[in-house]
Amino acid sequence: MGDFWTNTDKPFFKINPSFKFLIIAALFIVYLCVRNLNTMIWATVLFLILYFLVNGFPAKFSFWMIILTFIVSFLGTAAMILFGKGTHVLFHWYLIMISEESLARGVLIGLRTFIFTMIGMILASTTMPVPFFYSLMQQLKVPVRYAYGCLAAFRMLPMMAEEFVHIRQAMIVRGMMQKKGARAAYERMKHYALAMLAQSIRRAQRTAVAMEAKRFSMTEARTYYYEIGWSRYDLYFLVVILCTVALGFLLSHWMPLTPFTDVIDN
């Protein structure tokens, strides 16, 4: 799956994965507590720019992820705006009622969804799976059997995708894809589910036996093939994130785009 990440020479790939994970988790908590709509608007713009500058995903995939995130955020925003409550009604038609309060709450929730996705994508697009799990074991002291178990499960995903393609090709050769109707679709889904479930159980059992044979359940200290350490890039990352967050708050104070500075989002 390493081929999925491009431009891995970017500085954000050289940051300690555990440190990056903790900073990103802290950002989630920070923006979960922000109720100033102007702050959320500026933070969304800034983190969107940062994502485009540092992400290591292919450009086409990044574009469609942005579009998908926008659609999901818009749907959440629309539901809150159209069916929310408020005292300053702007539009009312049967069940649909748009008020200033519901408009502000809807936009706030939509922006929060968008910025959470952007922050998570910055982590996902600049962090390789193997160094991440090694860092969890070395810096955060996650038990080896759990970390390697998660890594093994993650590595099974491309295998399952390839197996799905093989099953589909076998069904095409046997003429099973030519049948139409709900019953035929149900039969195909059953074949997919049974075949993939059986293979997954066998693969999981082999992985568990291999881990036991290699003493992954032992409690003594282990050595690692990859040693994940610290570097000056960790400090650079912290400075960039702090500057981005601070700039969002400052811009919301210097150039407010809306009059909503304290939105009650519940």
Side-chain angles (χ1 to χ4, degrees):
M1 291 189 66
D3 296 338
F4 188 72
W5 282 264
T6 59
N7 302 321
T8 55
D9 293 331
K10 291 184 176 181
F12 270 41
F13 279 91
K14 302 175 183 179
I15 302 164
N16 184 286
S18 293
F19 181 70
K20 192 191 310 182
F21 173 75
L22 293 176
I23 296 298
I24 293 298
L27 288 178
F28 275 92
I29 298 174
V30 169
Y31 287 109
L32 185 64
C33 300
V34 172
R35 299 191 301 181
N36 189 319
L37 189 57
N38 299 300
T39 302
M40 294 301 294
I41 293 173
W42 283 113
T44 301
V45 173
L46 293 173
F47 276 103
L48 179 61
I49 295 173
L50 181 63
Y51 170 71
F52 278 117
L53 291 176
V54 304
N55 89 90
F57 285 156
K60 185 177 180 180
F61 179 82
S62 297
F63 172 78
W64 286 112
M65 280 301 301
I66 296 295
I67 297 299
L68 179 61
T69 304
F70 176 78
I71 293 174
V72 173
S73 302
F74 176 77
L75 293 176
T77 299
M80 179 61 70
I81 291 175
L82 297 177
F83 305 103
K85 297 180 180 180
T87 56
H88 299 82
V89 178
L90 301 176
F91 178 79
H92 189 197
W93 183 71
Y94 289 98
L95 296 178
I96 298 176
M97 186 177 70
I98 302 176
S99 64
E100 292 184 4
E101 293 83 359
S102 67
L103 181 64
R105 284 195 297 266
V107 174
L108 179 67
I109 290 177
L111 290 175
R112 188 172 286 165
T113 302
F114 195 90
I115 196 173
F116 282 177
T117 306
M118 286 301 96
I119 294 172
M121 288 295 293
I122 289 175
L123 173 66
S125 64
T126 60
T127 308
M128 302 293 287
V130 173
F132 176 69
F133 286 106
Y134 269 86
S135 180
L136 291 180
M137 289 183 285
Q138 295 174 28
Q139 274 77 51
L140 299 186
K141 306 303 179 183
V142 175
V144 174
R145 58 181 179 273
Y146 298 139
Y148 269 106
C150 293
L151 181 59
F154 186 82
R155 286 182 172 274
M156 287 184 184
L157 294 178
M159 299 180 188
M160 294 180 66
E162 184 179 359
E163 185 177 333
F164 179 84
V165 173
H166 291 165
I167 296 173
R168 178 178 174 81
Q169 291 173 344
M171 293 173 66
I172 293 175
V173 171
R174 290 172 172 79
M176 299 176 62
M177 302 298 293
Q178 298 178 358
K179 299 179 181 179
K180 306 296 182 182
R183 182 174 179 81
Y186 170 75
E187 291 295 330
R188 286 195 294 269
M189 290 300 299
K190 186 168 67 173
H191 285 295
Y192 281 129
L194 291 176
M196 296 187 69
L197 179 62
Q199 289 295 333
S200 298
I201 292 174
R202 295 192 189 101
R203 192 178 295 113
Q205 185 178 13
R206 290 196 297 267
T207 302
V209 172
M211 291 179 67
E212 287 292 335
K214 295 179 180 180
R215 303 293 300 277
F216 276 94
S217 61
M218 63 186 293
T219 58
E220 292 80 1
R222 299 180 62 92
T223 58
Y224 300 97
Y225 183 78
Y226 297 103
E227 292 289 342
I228 308 298
W230 307 92
S231 69
R232 65 181 186 276
Y233 292 101
D234 302 328
L235 180 60
Y236 297 159
F237 172 73
L238 180 61
V239 172
V240 169
I241 294 299
L242 290 178
C243 289
T244 304
V245 173
L247 186 59
F249 281 97
L250 292 174
L251 287 174
S252 67
H253 178 71
W254 293 338
M255 293 184 292
L257 301 177
T258 71
F260 302 103
T261 58
D262 188 15
V263 180
I264 305 300
D265 55 346
N266 51 38

